[in-house]
Amino acid sequence: MRTLPLRRAGVLALAVGATVGLAACSGTGSTAPAPVSSSSSSTADETGTRVALSYPGGIVVLDGQTLEVVGDVASEEFTRLNSAGDGRHIMVTTSAGFQVLDAGTAEDDPVLTDVVFEADKAGHVVVHGGKTVLYADGTSDTTIFDSDALLASNEDMPETETIPGVEAHHGVSIVLEDGTFLTTVGNADGRTGVVAKDPSGQTLAENAECPGVHGEGTAKDEVVVFGCEDGALVYDAGTFTKLTAPDQPYGRMGNAYVSETSPLIIGDYKDDRDAEGYLLHRVALIDTAAKTQTVVDLPEGVAYTFRDIARGPSELGYILATDGSIHVIDPATGSLTDAFPVIDPWEGPADWQDAHPAIKVSGDIAYVTEPAKKAVHAVDLTTGEVRTSATLEVTPNEMALTR
């Protein structure tokens, strides 16, 4: 592991007049697996998508084509799952940090490895431009490594760069292809904005007009959007632009659902700070080229949570709604253009960690969980056909795909 002193100096300098980062999570280890060989890596490509699903006390791994269970590993009571970005591994947030799950190949069984990126309150995982970026909410430290580095071995830690945080908060960081480092600013009392630094640690731009900053998404031409409690913040080639929500003083976008080949972003949207529950009824649409934001009301019965929006074929959006259907949304107009019935109608969770339906997309296939039936479904988004369904012995909660 290495820490770059120039970048460190630049980040620490931010402590004068600004503040940075906080996040959390859980999991455990297993027996040490054999190293991953180059032949195993090619087999991973041939294996295709693997679907990892958390449940209380473990993680089950499914073959993405058949939905057959190919592995089941013990973990902590509640874990969060994110793709590691290399087509084979999953980052599991645990009480120790970010633990690496090898989802396996046609030749190798899935295993929860002993490779752990230690972190105080492991939080967001961002994959972009061949880099995997890990954020520790308890320190606001950012750990960066080449996404493909995990393919070399399931026993050895890859070389990493650590950028120390300034003040702990629930935050997120991203590294662009030219080395620009974007990270949120905040402290224990709240989050206020984002700062951009060059590879030497010098500040390129910063903006403190993003209260409650949360999440990020990278659109076409590496334009990055962060959600705010009163709109959104767009970073484009060294400049921040604040987009003001139509609802003031509270119109929150918390998560951005993006395609890196489209300038259009779909965001979840909440307009009532005191609203009970986690169901949302409106979406934010952001055009990163025009620097505009609009908000669209969804029809009655089309409610969702942060787990229920994905991008897919033709750069469209796909909303898994409480009526049990996947609704196709055009991010250019906000129009719902189609709907595919998949699961039974469902109600929102009492707590955000509670198991409730989720959607993830790989290519033309959407993977949909149905916790009430302990089921998972593979849906062809080009036709709406449910290709495969499977019933599990456990109740699925978090979901991540290897590709």
Side-chain angles (χ1 to χ4, degrees):
M1 181 179 294
R2 60 192 177 96
T3 301
L4 296 190
L6 285 177
R7 182 116 70 173
R8 177 188 176 97
V11 176
L12 290 177
L14 183 62
V16 181
T19 49
V20 196
L22 170 70
C25 289
S26 58
T28 48
S30 65
T31 56
V36 179
S37 66
S38 57
S39 60
S40 297
S41 299
S42 61
T43 308
D45 293 333
E46 297 166 2
T47 300
T49 301
R50 288 284 170 91
V51 182
L53 300 166
S54 69
Y55 65 88
I59 304 165
V60 65
V61 181
L62 312 182
D63 178 276
Q65 185 171 10
T66 65
L67 297 186
E68 294 178 354
V69 175
V70 295
D72 191 346
V73 300
S75 188
E76 295 181 357
E77 186 68 14
F78 177 76
T79 58
R80 304 210 71 184
L81 306 178
N82 289 278
S83 168
D86 63 358
R88 176 163 176 170
H89 294 89
I90 301 292
M91 305 305 296
V92 182
T93 54
T94 73
S95 56
F98 300 91
Q99 187 167 5
V100 177
L101 169 69
D102 181 351
T105 67
E107 298 176 352
D108 302 310
D109 292 334
V111 62
L112 190 60
T113 75
D114 289 333
V115 175
V116 178
F117 297 83
E118 294 183 2
D120 182 358
K121 298 181 180 178
H124 280 278
V125 177
V126 174
V127 176
H128 174 74
K131 301 288 186 182
T132 301
V133 182
L134 313 176
Y135 193 93
D137 288 352
T139 60
S140 284
D141 291 353
T142 299
T143 300
I144 305 163
F145 64 91
D146 291 338
S147 299
D148 287 345
L150 292 173
L151 294 171
S153 173
N154 272 348
E155 294 180 325
D156 301 323
M157 288 287 295
E159 181 180 6
T160 63
E161 175 188 353
T162 297
I163 303 176
V166 178
E167 293 188 69
H169 64 272
H170 177 49
V172 65
S173 299
I174 181 172
V175 179
L176 303 185
E177 292 185 11
D178 66 358
T180 299
F181 175 67
L182 294 162
T183 191
T184 52
V185 175
N187 58 24
D189 296 324
R191 307 183 297 276
T192 57
V194 182
V195 63
K197 301 212 170 253
D198 69 16
S200 73
Q202 296 300 307
T203 297
L204 296 170
E206 56 186 310
N207 186 293
E209 300 177 359
C210 190
V213 57
H214 184 274
E216 61 72 45
T218 305
K220 185 178 180 180
D221 298 325
E222 287 201 305
V223 181
V224 186
V225 172
F226 297 84
C228 313
E229 290 184 350
D230 60 356
L233 195 61
V234 179
Y235 177 83
D236 184 358
T239 300
F240 283 107
T241 301
K242 175 62 183 288
L243 304 182
T244 302
D247 301 285
Q248 294 297 323
Y250 187 83
R252 179 182 187 269
M253 191 186 89
N255 298 279
Y257 306 91
V258 304
S259 164
E260 294 198 351
T261 57
S262 169
L264 305 177
I265 286 178
I266 301 172
D268 56 9
Y269 189 81
K270 182 179 181 180
D271 57 14
D272 183 354
R273 187 190 301 271
D274 301 319
E276 296 183 1
Y278 296 90
L279 290 179
L280 302 172
H281 306 270
R282 307 173 77 188
V283 294
L285 303 178
I286 293 175
D287 185 329
T288 61
K291 306 296 187 293
T292 60
Q293 179 186 29
T294 58
V295 173
V296 174
D297 296 317
L298 297 175
E300 187 72 24
V302 183
Y304 67 95
T305 77
F306 65 96
R307 290 183 182 169
D308 301 310
I309 302 182
R311 298 295 289 272
S314 301
E315 300 173 340
L316 296 171
Y318 297 84
I319 302 174
L320 177 62
T322 50
D323 63 1
S325 293
I326 296 175
H327 293 263
V328 183
I329 183 170
D330 183 344
T333 64
S335 300
L336 298 183
T337 60
D338 211 340
F340 311 137
V342 179
I343 62 177
D344 288 344
W346 53 279
E347 297 181 352
D351 295 302
W352 70 266
Q353 301 98 327
D354 292 345
H356 61 279
I359 182 172
K360 295 285 186 181
V361 174
S362 176
D364 292 341
I365 303 300
Y367 295 93
V368 172
T369 61
E370 190 172 11
K373 292 186 174 181
K374 297 183 178 180
V376 61
H377 312 275
V379 183
D380 187 332
L381 293 177
T382 64
T383 64
E385 175 190 3
V386 178
R387 283 192 175 181
T388 314
S389 294
T391 301
L392 309 174
E393 295 182 357
V394 297
T395 300
N397 193 345
E398 288 268 332
M399 173 169 52
L401 310 179
T402 55
R403 66 188 67 224

